[in-house]
Amino acid sequence: MENIKTTKKAAETTTLKDYVSLVRNNLLSISLITSVCLVISIIYALNATDIYRSTATLKVSKPQGSILDSPLIPEFHDFGSDRFIANEIEIMGTFSTRERVARALIDTFRINDDHSMYYVLLDHKFDFANKDKRILDVEELAGVLRSVISIDQKRGLDIIEITAESPSPHEAALIANCYAKQYRSLNLEVNRNHLTFVRNFLLEQKNEKQNQLSEAEELLRSFQERGGVIALDEQASSLISQLAQLEAKKNATQIELITSNKILAELKNELERQNPLLADYLQGLASEAYFQSLQEQLIKLEVNRDIAIASASSNIDNNSVIRDYETRIKEIQRKLNERIEIIKSGVFASSPAEVKELSQKIINEEVKNQSLKISIKELETIIFQYESKFNRLPKTAIELARYQRNRESLEKLYILVEEKYQEAVINEQSQPGNVLIIDNARRPALPSKPNRLLIIFVGFVLGFSLAFAFIFIRNYFDNTVKTPEDIQDLNVNVLAWIPMIEDLNYNGSKGFEFIVSKKPDSIPSEAFRALRTRVQFSRLGENSLKTILVTSPAPQEGKTTVAINLAGSFAQSSKKTLILDCDLRKPSVHSIFGVNKHPGLVDYLFDKVPFDEILRKSDIDGLSYITSGTIPPNPAEMLGSKSMQLFLNKIKSLFDIIIIDSPPIIAVTDSEMLSAFVDGTIVVVSADTTELELLKKSIDLLSTNNTSLLGAVLNNFSYKSGYSSYYKYYYYYSQPTKSDSRRKNLDFKNQQN
């Protein structure tokens, strides 16, 4: 819990200066990660395939409805246009549409001998070495088109852009143009759907009536050849002609009624899916009594008018009768139209925009369907009247009359069906779609991507970001001591911070650890002198320090280096100093001085050698050292023995300062025992190595033994950022002048002589 509080406190006091220091201390990691990402992005950019983009532009118009669809406010005329365009875009993106495009592309591929211009249409999964790659089938190509085609609406306009991408510029333009043409064709098919249905039905009827007419003519010719009556009188011929005319008209009306029934059923099924209640409502309106009454009156007048027109060739003047029919027809037609408009207004008042157009088609078709039914009924009544006249013909001529009546009826019916068919063809072809290709896709001259400079720039930025993220995350989860403030947060006095001894890293010799002897003018040497001063003045008077224990939380943190150089600093200040190696598990004092470790302390404690043989002098005046000697099997018991206490009392009388190098306090109990026999203890902490938790446990162990903890020394500390000023100023004042250097060299030579 306390460690968490310490971490939170450190996070709260983090400043921009700390971040700058963190970056400066990790420049190598930042440079390495950024360089790797930059190289990868350059390689990718140089090897990326060129992609060409081509765009076809369409104008999609919203279908125009009747006047009842017109908006009340003209400014809001295109209010639903965006939704309509969005629906069309969804239709264009469906799998069925892509299948149509895929079939067209495959047909184009097969008639083109130069297959090198294609990439998207080919299979690239397994046959990398085979130049003649397999063409994709329809379903596979339809799936691929989803990823190479983008369909977008220009903001605020009824314009749709179809963009295709391909490594081949020819193929990109081909796909975009083919997609635009296939969608336009699909749109035309949808708009002409019911017209095409009518045309096909009338074509079937026309062929059927043509065959029936041929058969009727053949029967008439055969009858005449058998010696029957060859011709009829004028009255019989006129009756047969009128009767054939009426029968042809009735049959044509029946064909038209069948067509109307099929169209009406299709429209109602579609409306049933969207609004079943509205479909039932429209069915009831079409069968209301008043509506049917008007239609019946209208049909009777039209039929009588047509009969009057047909008999106008006789001596009877029917012009006044025809005009009277026309006047009455117009009046009834006006009433019928008014009723239709009332019905439409009631339907459209509460119908959504998608249903209005469909409802209008159903109403118009219902009116037409009812009219056709009434016409057939009226024509059948009139034909029945003519049939009675026909049956009164002479028996010798009645058989010929039937043959002629059948032929003329079929002939007139065929002519009517032919007219209807031609009319249906014209209506189908004249039905425009609401899609217009306003700009065909063109073969692009330059690739649209990749943007190699952008890829390289993004790679550089990404690498830089990853590097920063790496060092920040590593720093966040790094629970090691980094700065003196980390130690002070544990309420531990920071005696000094020692920079890394660079010559030791380059040379690798143990002798370079004794930096105060090898390079007394170096920055680390001055740091050890500062440590000496703070230790010396930490306790004055009768209770001044004489025995100082140097330990660390864990191995490899530089405690031996600190102990030897601290002892050397005391010796340089004219203090009779002893460095005692009490690390009986992994001793290293002897290796720094370049001597054998035995005889040493252990040998003396076992009374194997006298004191004079274990005491050795160093190159620095006033500095002596005692090595560990033979490593015993029980170092902890040896260091805590009565003999060890007597030995410490003996050397206290011989030296001014005794520096004891001991094992790490967390690993073994040796340092805990020794700390009870000394005047003060120093804990050596290695920057970026010692964990805060281990340091805290070390402080707790020393505190429980009532040890006099002098403080901690931060070893291998990077003095960049705000701490560099201390060493900068020291370097300025501590560097000797040329005259000082000559004087020191001269004094050194005199001492040698």
Side-chain angles (χ1 to χ4, degrees):
M1 186 69 182
E2 186 175 348
N3 186 32
I4 296 175
K5 292 181 179 179
T6 303
T7 305
K8 289 182 178 179
K9 182 178 179 182
E12 291 173 356
T13 57
T14 302
T15 62
L16 178 61
K17 191 175 183 180
D18 298 324
Y19 288 116
V20 173
S21 176
L22 179 64
V23 171
R24 291 180 61 184
N25 293 335
N26 293 273
L27 284 177
L28 180 60
S29 299
I30 293 175
S31 301
L32 182 61
I33 296 174
T34 304
S35 300
V36 170
C37 291
L38 183 61
V39 169
I40 292 175
S41 64
I42 291 174
I43 294 174
Y44 175 78
L46 294 178
N47 292 277
T49 304
D50 288 336
I51 300 297
Y52 294 86
R53 177 179 294 176
S54 187
T55 301
T57 306
L58 308 177
K59 183 179 185 302
V60 181
S61 304
K62 187 176 180 181
Q64 299 297 322
S66 66
I67 192 170
L68 295 176
D69 298 327
S70 301
L72 297 177
I73 304 176
E75 288 77 5
F76 293 95
H77 175 68
D78 293 331
F79 182 75
S81 180
D82 287 343
R83 181 176 179 181
F84 171 76
I85 298 296
N87 291 336
E88 293 300 307
I89 291 176
E90 287 299 317
I91 294 173
M92 296 170 70
T94 59
F95 189 81
S96 299
T97 304
R98 284 184 273 121
E99 276 187 324
R100 293 172 62 101
V101 178
R103 292 189 187 93
L105 289 172
I106 292 173
D107 292 340
T108 305
F109 176 85
R110 287 171 178 167
I111 63 175
N112 193 340
D113 296 332
D114 188 4
H115 295 171
S116 62
M117 297 187 299
Y118 297 92
Y119 182 88
V120 175
L121 275 64
L122 303 177
D123 186 5
H124 302 273
K125 291 181 180 178
F126 305 108
D127 50 346
F128 295 102
N130 186 12
K131 293 184 179 179
D132 298 329
K133 298 182 183 296
R134 180 184 72 88
I135 186 172
L136 299 173
D137 58 31
V138 173
E139 290 189 0
E140 291 174 334
L141 183 54
V144 172
L145 288 177
R146 185 182 184 88
S147 60
V148 302
I149 285 290
S150 61
I151 305 171
D152 302 293
Q153 177 189 6
K154 280 198 171 183
R155 187 177 180 87
L157 300 175
D158 295 340
I159 301 297
I160 295 178
E161 292 182 335
I162 302 176
T163 302
E165 293 182 348
S166 171
S168 168
H170 169 80
E171 188 179 42
L174 174 65
I175 293 175
N177 284 326
C178 186
Y179 213 107
K181 292 176 181 177
Q182 290 301 314
Y183 169 66
R184 182 181 62 178
S185 175
L186 175 62
N187 180 267
L188 279 174
E189 290 179 8
V190 172
N191 288 339
R192 296 175 177 177
N193 185 30
H194 70 282
L195 295 177
T196 303
F197 172 79
V198 171
R199 176 182 60 80
N200 293 333
F201 177 75
L202 290 176
L203 178 61
E204 294 176 0
Q205 293 296 319
K206 186 190 77 165
N207 294 333
E208 180 182 348
K209 300 310 174 185
Q210 185 177 19
N211 294 332
Q212 292 177 357
L213 176 60
S214 299
E215 292 177 1
E217 289 177 344
E218 181 64 25
L219 290 174
L220 177 61
R221 185 181 63 79
S222 300
F223 176 77
Q224 291 176 339
E225 287 179 353
R226 288 198 304 269
V229 181
I230 298 177
L232 297 173
D233 58 17
E234 183 179 353
Q235 184 179 3
S237 298
S238 176
L239 177 62
I240 292 173
S241 177
Q242 290 179 0
L243 189 57
Q245 180 85 15
L246 292 172
E247 287 181 340
K249 189 172 182 179
K250 187 193 77 170
N251 292 333
T253 305
Q254 287 177 337
I255 294 173
E256 196 171 354
L257 178 61
I258 295 173
T259 306
S260 177
N261 288 335
K262 292 183 178 182
I263 294 175
L264 193 58
E266 184 178 353
L267 294 174
K268 285 183 177 180
N269 288 335
E270 185 175 352
L271 183 62
E272 186 78 23
R273 291 192 297 268
Q274 299 186 22
N275 193 335
L277 296 178
L278 183 58
D280 296 337
Y281 177 69
L282 292 178
Q283 178 68 29
L285 289 176
S287 59
E288 70 172 14
Y290 178 72
F291 194 76
Q292 287 190 346
S293 175
L294 291 176
Q295 286 185 304
E296 289 177 358
Q297 295 178 37
L298 180 63
I299 295 302
K300 288 181 179 180
L301 291 173
E302 288 179 346
V303 171
N304 291 328
R305 179 200 60 187
D306 293 340
I307 294 174
I309 293 174
S311 61
S313 58
S314 63
N315 296 328
I316 303 173
D317 185 9
N318 292 331
N319 291 333
S320 60
V321 176
I322 295 173
R323 285 195 298 269
D324 182 59
Y325 281 138
E326 292 286 355
T327 303
R328 294 167 63 188
I329 288 172
K330 289 180 180 179
E331 180 62 23
I332 295 176
Q333 186 68 57
R334 181 185 62 80
K335 293 180 181 180
L336 187 61
N337 290 337
E338 289 178 355
R339 185 57 186 166
I340 292 174
E341 294 301 322
I342 293 173
I343 293 173
K344 288 182 178 180
S345 300
V347 172
F348 294 160
S350 58
S351 299
E354 293 80 2
V355 181
K356 285 183 180 180
E357 184 179 358
L358 183 59
S359 300
Q360 182 175 352
K361 290 181 179 179
I362 292 178
I363 291 173
N364 292 336
E365 198 63 38
E366 282 281 9
V367 172
K368 179 180 177 182
N369 191 273
Q370 291 293 333
S371 299
L372 291 172
K373 291 179 180 178
I374 297 172
S375 296
I376 293 173
K377 185 178 179 181
E378 187 66 24
L379 287 170
E380 287 177 347
T381 302
I382 296 175
I383 289 173
F384 179 77
Q385 296 174 359
Y386 275 81
E387 284 279 358
S388 61
K389 295 180 181 181
F390 177 80
N391 292 329
R392 291 197 296 268
L393 290 175
K395 292 183 179 181
T396 56
I398 197 168
E399 188 174 359
L400 176 60
R402 284 198 178 96
Y403 283 120
Q404 286 188 351
R405 170 187 171 184
N406 187 36
R407 183 190 65 79
E408 288 188 18
S409 176
L410 289 173
E411 182 180 12
K412 294 181 184 298
L413 178 59
Y414 173 76
I415 294 173
L416 290 175
V417 172
E418 174 69 23
E419 290 176 354
K420 291 290 184 181
Y421 171 73
Q422 296 299 331
E423 181 181 350
V425 171
I426 294 173
N427 289 337
E428 180 188 20
Q429 297 300 320
S430 62
Q431 175 66 35
N434 54 335
V435 175
L436 176 64
I437 300 177
I438 60 176
D439 192 10
N440 289 314
R442 293 174 175 81
R443 178 171 177 168
L446 298 174
S448 61
K449 59 182 181 181
N451 188 336
R452 290 179 169 81
L453 292 178
L454 180 60
I455 291 175
I456 295 173
F457 177 75
V458 170
F460 174 77
V461 173
L462 180 61
F464 208 63
S465 303
L466 289 176
F468 270 89
F470 171 74
I471 63 172
F472 285 139
I473 293 174
R474 185 179 66 177
N475 179 71
Y476 179 79
F477 289 102
D478 186 5
N479 196 28
T480 59
V481 178
K482 300 179 183 62
T483 63
E485 285 77 6
D486 294 337
I487 302 175
Q488 291 174 350
D489 289 339
L490 297 176
N491 296 322
V492 178
N493 182 33
V494 180
L495 297 172
W497 48 84
I498 311 299
M500 187 177 294
I501 302 174
E502 297 179 358
D503 291 337
L504 178 63
N505 295 334
Y506 292 124
N507 189 279
S509 173
K510 283 286 186 181
F512 272 84
E513 291 187 30
F514 201 8
I515 190 68
V516 297
S517 174
K518 300 297 180 180
K519 297 185 69 175
D521 294 333
S522 65
I523 293 177
S525 297
E526 178 60 24
F528 283 114
R529 284 191 284 271
L531 174 61
R532 175 200 67 194
T533 302
R534 291 168 187 167
V535 171
Q536 186 176 359
F537 286 96
S538 62
R539 191 183 301 171
L540 300 174
E542 296 179 357
N543 296 325
S544 60
L545 296 171
K546 193 154 191 159
T547 54
I548 301 173
L549 180 69
V550 179
T551 185
S552 64
Q556 303 298 323
E557 293 181 337
K559 61 178 181 55
T560 302
T561 302
V562 172
I564 291 176
N565 284 283
L566 179 59
S569 298
F570 275 110
Q572 288 175 345
S573 65
S574 301
K575 296 282 186 181
K576 191 175 182 181
T577 308
L578 173 67
I579 175 72
L580 177 61
D581 191 355
C582 287
D583 189 350
L584 302 183
R585 301 173 188 272
K586 291 185 178 180
S588 58
V589 171
H590 65 278
S591 62
I592 294 176
F593 288 103
V595 298
N596 200 333
K597 64 182 176 182
H598 50 74
L601 173 63
V602 177
D603 301 307
Y604 173 78
L605 294 179
F606 278 109
D607 295 327
K608 291 183 179 181
V609 293
F611 180 75
D612 293 339
E613 289 189 19
I614 65 172
L615 184 65
R616 308 180 191 185
K617 294 185 179 294
S618 69
D619 295 337
I620 298 179
D621 292 339
L623 178 63
S624 301
Y625 62 92
I626 296 176
T627 60
S628 63
T630 304
I631 297 178
N634 53 347
E637 289 78 1
M638 179 68 66
L639 295 175
S641 65
K642 188 68 175 178
S643 301
M644 183 64 186
Q645 296 182 34
L646 294 174
F647 175 75
L648 290 175
N649 291 332
K650 179 179 180 178
I651 60 178
K652 282 182 182 180
S653 62
L654 300 176
F655 295 94
D656 298 326
I657 295 292
I658 300 171
I659 306 296
I660 301 175
D661 181 26
S662 65
I665 192 170
I666 298 295
V668 292
T669 60
D670 301 8
S671 297
E672 291 186 62
M673 294 181 178
L674 289 173
S675 64
F677 305 149
V678 299
D679 299 327
T681 302
I682 296 175
V683 178
V684 177
V685 180
S686 180
D688 299 318
T689 302
T690 304
E691 296 182 4
L692 284 169
E693 191 64 28
L694 292 180
L695 176 59
K696 180 180 178 298
K697 289 182 179 179
S698 301
I699 302 303
D700 292 341
L701 288 174
L702 293 172
S703 300
T704 55
N705 294 331
N706 296 320
T707 302
S708 177
L709 179 61
L710 302 179
V713 175
L714 184 57
N715 191 29
N716 294 325
F717 178 59
S718 177
Y719 54 85
K720 296 179 181 179
S721 185
Y723 298 95
S724 61
S725 59
Y726 171 84
Y727 297 96
K728 178 179 68 177
Y729 296 143
Y730 163 73
Y731 183 81
Y732 176 77
Y733 285 107
S734 64
Q735 289 302 305
T737 61
K738 292 182 179 180
S739 59
D740 293 337
S741 298
R742 294 194 196 100
R743 190 181 299 112
K744 288 184 178 181
N745 292 334
L746 182 60
D747 293 340
F748 180 75
K749 290 179 180 179
N750 292 334
Q751 291 176 4
Q752 294 293 327
N753 295 331

